[in-house]
Amino acid sequence: MSSKAPLFTNTKCECGHQNPVGTVLCEACGKPLEEKEAESSENLEMRYDGVARRSQRVNPGIIDRVWNFFSSVKIAVYLIVLTLLGSMLGTILPQESTFLNIDASTYYKQEYGTAGDIYYKLGLSHTYESWWFVTLLVMIGASLVICSLDRVLPLYKALTRQKIRKHRQFLTRQKVVLVTEVQDDPETWVERVAGPLKKRGYRVKTDGGALLAEKHRFSRWGPYVIHIGLIIFLLAVLARGLPGLNMDQHLAFPQGEITQIPDTTFYLENKKFIVEFYTEEEMPEEFRGKKVLPKLYETQAVLYECTADCGDPSKKPQLNEVASHDIRVNSPLSYKGLKAYQFDYDLTPVLRSVQPELKDSRTGEVYGKFKLTMKNPERSFEAGPYTVTLKEKYMDFGLSDEGQPVSVSPYPNAPAFLFLITGPDLPAEGQQYFYFPKQVDKTKFQQTAINDKLGGGSRFLELEVGDMKDVDFSESTTYLNVRVDRAMPFIWVGAAIVMLGLVLGFYWQHRRVWLTVDDGVLTLGGHTNKNWFGFRREIVGVLGKVDMAVDEKTLDNGGGLA
Amino acid sequence: MGKARKPVQIIILFLIVLLGGYAIGSSVFGGDGKPKEGSTAPSFELLGLDGKSHTLDEYKGKAVVLNFWGSWCAPCVKEMPALQAQWEKWKDEGVVVVGVNVGEDQMTVENFVKLVDINFPIVMDPGRDAVRSYGISPMPTTFFINARGKVDSIHIGQLDLSTLDTQIGKLVKR
């Protein structure tokens, strides 16, 4: 490949055919063209049937040079090796994309020390998204396209325009050669041998005393089919970056709630989440008493699609049920390319609403009951003769540095409500009342003491939950991995095409036999792209049918390949 | 084939440069999808305290100071007076301060607004959609968006009166 062509090359063969620059074997008769090659007695270089690659030319311009760079198989091999080495770097430490919530700039240092920090700073924590890795992939893609084009077209031309009668040197310098005497008239002998060749699936063409038998040419296209598949594969991977084609989110769905899937018009309801654990007996000895292992976790999910008022936050979206599924590990909910996989769960109950009763602590009389939701509660309630107005609400009650009541987080960990109650036997401006729905908070923050202070010693109203039925919990939260990957069908198509190419190339061999009978001498040359052993056997078998006993080994013209 | 060769080569190389450029470009500049300084501020549609829905587009032509806050976040609470003061100072010069409340309900927000006595526009993001598209992690985070809708600078953490003043000053000049 690297041998430089001399300044003036006579590319015209003695058979009269004008060959393009870079041709190794005459396109017509197969005679070696270069003098050095013609004088040698080594086996012929049969790659691409000795034709010039498409881009080989005398005075390459810039475009030709770029083209030739990518057309080189040597470069392709270097690119592939570099990509392999680069990919290895990305496997040393877990990649950033495998974590859900980390700050990469500190995580690697904390977890892996200085080496981890260097790894992160070199950008290897996202190797496969780095510019140099993508560049390598793009260059491999370019090389695939250009290498294939440069070779497949000349090869196709060479194979469709094969001459039957070849130069004697072309025959005797194949890896399978037989030179022997025949008594018959050339044309008769050629006719006789054509029959058994055809029987073995060869397509036979004759030209007087010359014959060309060929089979399974299609196997030569195998590598190019593989390349087409790979290019589709690469393009599909590239297309995943386009908006709307790929999504991968990990989302929390509290039980009993409908939650929107961000960036889509879909909403998912977690109707019920169940988890079963392995019993002590089911677990191996070493886990007993130490580990709690879930046996099954399942989200009974319903998927809704928004049909109207979707983007407008001032309106309630109108939802239409489109799918439902009991999501388990490896059994996702699937709807039009959107998949929701079971990923994790959290069994911490979250308080959703309580229905306290307004009670007279002196008589025990219950005035009424109202529903108090943690999120967006109603502001005013009626309980018998009393009006209860919600004044303040703290989701996670605490005190600020200045001693003011504040919420320390937006999550309902320790909800607290400040009401103003008005009605009979109360001061005209009403009475304030602090209410902690959770029993543990009541004691912790001393609800009674606060209220005694707010309402004075004579207060007689209490808010209490009478029954556990009146407490609504979201028992658990399920975490789902919601994915859309619309490029996936193309990846499968690409992979299938690659497989097809592999099968074509592996399970069939392109076999050709040329022979001429001149002056009572049979000259036979044979070529295949692999399985020379089977090829020689086949020739021996064919010759046996025309009563010519040949030893398999004598067919071997050397060259080191089996 | 001989004559068409050059154009074919050029077309194929052009396609490779185009697709390759897109691939490499998106790996270099695409990043994690969070807006950076100089990138276009993501649009949002959120319910305001006034009961109407608001988008970033309606402030086009104005410099926007977009402040993400929560009533439980102490530094957010502390910077509110500074934001209010700067809102009063700059509102007649084409600057609008917009507070985005993160994940709380209307009552909490209303009470808070009354308590700290602010009157710049407040929108609510209960589903954390804007939080996601702006890539907010710690709070408060303030985005300074210029009149052309591009992110001019991002401030993470509590703002004081003077930095806020210089930032807005820069924003108006550009």
Side-chain angles (χ1 to χ4, degrees):
Chain A
M1 258 180 273
S2 56
S3 65
K4 272 229 161 118
L7 208 53
F8 294 101
T9 4
N10 186 6
T11 53
K12 191 166 187 174
C13 178
E14 61 180 37
C15 70
H17 183 79
Q18 180 67 53
N19 292 296
V21 176
T23 309
V24 184
L25 306 173
C26 170
E27 290 177 343
C29 70
K31 182 180 181 287
L33 288 177
E34 276 179 46
E35 255 175 67
K36 214 171 88 192
E37 184 66 28
E39 281 157 15
S40 151
S41 59
E42 296 275 297
N43 283 347
L44 286 179
E45 173 57 70
M46 285 292 285
R47 238 183 311 186
Y48 317 115
D49 264 33
V51 293
R53 273 183 286 130
R54 215 166 104 102
S55 58
Q56 287 179 329
R57 47 187 350 200
V58 191
N59 288 313
I62 290 180
I63 288 185
D64 291 310
R65 281 176 197 278
V66 174
W67 189 269
N68 287 344
F69 175 79
F70 285 113
S71 170
S72 158
V73 171
K74 198 162 74 179
I75 296 291
V77 171
Y78 283 141
L79 287 175
I80 291 168
V81 169
L82 280 176
T83 310
L84 285 178
L85 293 175
S87 318
M88 283 159 68
L89 292 176
T91 64
I92 298 174
L93 295 180
Q95 296 283 293
E96 276 171 50
S97 58
T98 54
F99 301 106
L100 286 182
N101 284 312
I102 57 158
D103 180 8
S105 55
T106 52
Y107 176 83
Y108 284 89
K109 191 166 188 170
Q110 272 172 17
E111 200 75 3
Y112 307 104
T114 318
D117 199 34
I118 294 169
Y119 191 80
Y120 168 76
K121 288 200 169 124
L122 285 175
L124 294 176
S125 55
H126 46 88
T127 305
Y128 308 112
E129 293 85 36
S130 63
W131 64 268
W132 57 268
F133 192 80
V134 177
T135 308
L136 277 173
L137 288 183
V138 168
M139 285 172 84
I140 287 180
S143 167
L144 275 175
V145 174
I146 294 175
C147 274
S148 306
L149 268 181
D150 242 20
R151 287 169 175 78
V152 74
L153 294 176
L155 180 66
Y156 177 79
K157 257 179 35 183
L159 292 179
T160 46
R161 290 184 200 163
Q162 289 182 83
K163 286 265 159 55
I164 298 162
R165 189 176 285 276
K166 289 284 189 180
H167 194 272
R168 204 185 122 70
Q169 220 188 57
F170 180 81
L171 300 189
T172 56
R173 286 177 63 190
Q174 293 296 331
K175 268 182 204 136
V176 171
V177 172
L178 177 69
V179 182
T180 184
E181 288 179 5
V182 282
Q183 305 303 325
D184 289 357
D185 166 60
E187 288 192 28
T188 333
W189 195 87
V190 165
E191 281 305 309
R192 271 180 66 203
V193 81
L197 279 170
K198 278 182 186 157
K199 227 176 196 161
R200 289 186 178 255
Y202 282 90
R203 281 180 294 142
V204 180
K205 285 190 222 158
T206 57
D207 174 15
L211 173 143
L212 163 63
E214 184 181 17
K215 76 170 172 186
H216 301 160
R217 187 197 284 173
F218 62 84
S219 107
R220 292 293 284 269
W221 313 129
Y224 307 105
V225 173
I226 296 174
H227 286 182
I228 291 171
L230 285 177
I231 287 161
I232 293 177
F233 196 103
L234 280 178
L235 287 177
V237 171
L238 186 60
R240 293 177 83 205
L242 294 172
L245 284 181
N246 187 48
M247 183 182 90
D248 190 348
Q249 306 187 84
H250 295 84
L251 302 169
F253 296 92
Q255 179 169 313
E257 283 178 34
I258 299 180
T259 314
Q260 188 183 6
I261 301 172
D263 308 323
T264 68
T265 55
F266 291 106
Y267 289 70
L268 192 139
E269 180 181 14
N270 170 7
K271 284 221 152 174
K272 194 172 167 51
F273 176 78
I274 44 175
V275 59
E276 279 173 29
F277 295 97
Y278 283 106
T279 59
E280 290 283 298
E281 294 75 51
E282 284 170 316
M283 283 202 287
E285 191 77 48
E286 56 266 41
F287 286 179
R288 276 177 208 167
K290 289 179 203 154
K291 286 198 176 181
V292 181
L293 291 177
K295 188 180 189 174
L296 165 84
Y297 42 113
E298 179 183 281
T299 307
Q300 292 164 9
V302 179
L303 187 74
Y304 300 89
E305 190 166 12
C306 178
T307 49
D309 304 330
C310 302
D312 191 343
S314 59
K315 287 179 189 148
K316 230 182 150 199
Q318 294 178 24
L319 302 180
N320 187 23
E321 180 176 335
V322 288
S324 69
H325 184 71
D326 295 343
I327 303 173
R328 295 182 186 183
V329 174
N330 290 334
S331 171
L333 178 144
S334 175
Y335 178 72
K336 285 188 182 166
L338 179 134
K339 288 196 164 143
Y341 294 86
Q342 188 66 54
F343 172 69
D344 199 1
Y345 61 87
D346 180 2
L347 294 180
T348 316
V350 176
L351 188 60
R352 220 163 17 203
S353 72
V354 286
Q355 297 185 50
E357 292 168 336
L358 187 67
K359 225 174 170 180
D360 191 324
S361 57
R362 298 169 303 191
T363 60
E365 190 189 344
V366 174
Y367 293 113
K369 190 161 91 170
F370 57 89
K371 186 170 178 178
L372 181 64
T373 55
M374 299 300 120
K375 240 186 228 168
N376 288 316
E378 282 177 49
R379 308 280 180 91
S380 177
F381 309 93
E382 297 297 325
Y386 293 99
T387 304
V388 182
T389 317
L390 182 57
K391 287 310 227 186
E392 284 289 351
K393 151 173 179 277
Y394 309 91
M395 293 300 262
D396 198 348
F397 187 81
L399 291 175
S400 72
D401 298 342
E402 292 84 32
Q404 294 294 316
V406 287
S407 194
V408 293
S409 89
Y411 310 106
N413 297 329
F417 299 85
L418 177 65
F419 293 105
L420 184 70
I421 309 173
T422 48
D425 299 338
L426 291 177
E429 71 277 9
Q431 191 175 62
Q432 285 185 314
Y433 186 89
F434 235 106
Y435 177 60
F436 294 88
K438 284 191 182 174
Q439 192 55 47
V440 50
D441 300 329
K442 268 187 190 119
T443 4
K444 186 176 166 197
F445 297 110
Q446 302 172 340
Q447 180 180 315
T448 322
I450 297 175
N451 286 332
D452 284 346
K453 214 170 173 190
L454 287 172
S458 62
R459 69 188 184 89
F460 55 92
L461 289 169
E462 291 285 1
L463 278 172
E464 267 166 31
V465 170
D467 195 327
M468 271 317 278
K469 273 202 310 238
D470 294 333
V471 182
D472 180 28
F473 281 106
S474 163
E475 287 167 34
S476 57
T477 303
T478 186
Y479 290 87
L480 301 178
N481 177 206
V482 181
R483 288 188 190 177
V484 173
D485 201 341
R486 302 204 190 281
M488 215 49 209
F490 298 97
I491 290 189
W492 286 118
V493 167
I497 294 175
V498 169
M499 195 64 210
L500 177 74
L502 284 169
V503 169
L504 285 183
F506 273 132
Y507 290 98
W508 284 277
Q509 302 102 41
H510 181 215
R511 291 176 174 179
R512 275 179 296 171
V513 178
W514 299 269
L515 60 87
T516 55
V517 184
D518 281 315
D519 307 323
V521 176
L522 162 72
T523 314
L524 178 146
H527 185 261
T528 179
N529 52 347
K530 58 177 143 324
N531 190 9
W532 293 87
F533 180 78
F535 184 43
R536 287 195 298 267
R537 282 211 120 159
E538 193 170 55
I539 292 173
V540 169
V542 168
L543 292 176
K545 294 274 190 228
V546 292
D547 306 320
M548 188 182 274
V550 186
D551 181 26
E552 263 181 54
K553 279 182 192 145
T554 60
L555 284 175
D556 191 354
N557 192 27
L561 280 168
Chain B
M1 178 183 96
K3 273 181 201 158
R5 215 185 67 174
K6 195 119 199 177
V8 169
Q9 281 187 346
I10 292 173
I11 289 169
I12 288 173
L13 287 176
F14 175 73
L15 285 177
I16 289 169
V17 168
L18 202 74
L19 287 169
Y22 169 74
I24 297 167
S26 57
S27 84
V28 174
F29 303 110
D32 41 14
K34 292 176 191 171
K36 295 189 189 68
E37 291 181 9
S39 58
T40 307
S43 60
F44 57 77
E45 186 172 2
L46 297 170
L47 189 64
L49 263 193
D50 53 4
K52 292 185 201 120
S53 99
H54 292 273
T55 61
L56 185 62
D57 282 347
E58 59 186 69
Y59 306 113
K60 214 155 209 171
K62 282 184 180 177
V64 180
V65 178
L66 196 64
N67 174 256
F68 289 83
W69 64 275
S71 70
W72 73 91
C73 137
C76 306
V77 179
K78 283 187 192 131
E79 70 180 4
M80 281 298 164
L83 283 166
Q84 175 65 20
Q86 294 302 331
W87 155 246
E88 280 164 14
K89 179 179 170 191
W90 290 96
K91 65 178 169 186
D92 296 328
E93 293 177 56
V95 178
V96 60
V97 177
V98 180
V100 182
N101 173 270
V102 177
E104 292 180 286
D105 62 16
Q106 187 150 358
M107 175 175 182
T108 314
V109 179
E110 273 173 14
N111 284 344
F112 179 81
V113 165
K114 253 182 255 157
L115 183 75
V116 294
D117 195 21
I118 48 178
N119 63 10
F120 53 84
I122 298 285
V123 293
M124 289 170 289
D125 187 13
R128 296 171 185 254
D129 298 323
V131 169
R132 208 173 295 112
S133 57
Y134 277 82
I136 308 287
S137 43
M139 275 201 272
T141 297
T142 308
F143 278 72
F144 294 88
I145 301 164
N146 66 23
R148 279 167 288 124
K150 299 262 188 265
V151 177
D152 191 74
S153 61
I154 302 167
H155 185 95
I156 295 172
Q158 193 182 331
L159 282 159
D160 58 42
L161 202 64
S162 62
T163 31
L164 197 53
D165 197 40
T166 36
Q167 290 278 19
I168 298 177
K170 270 197 279 175
L171 201 59
V172 171
K173 257 184 243 154
R174 282 186 203 167

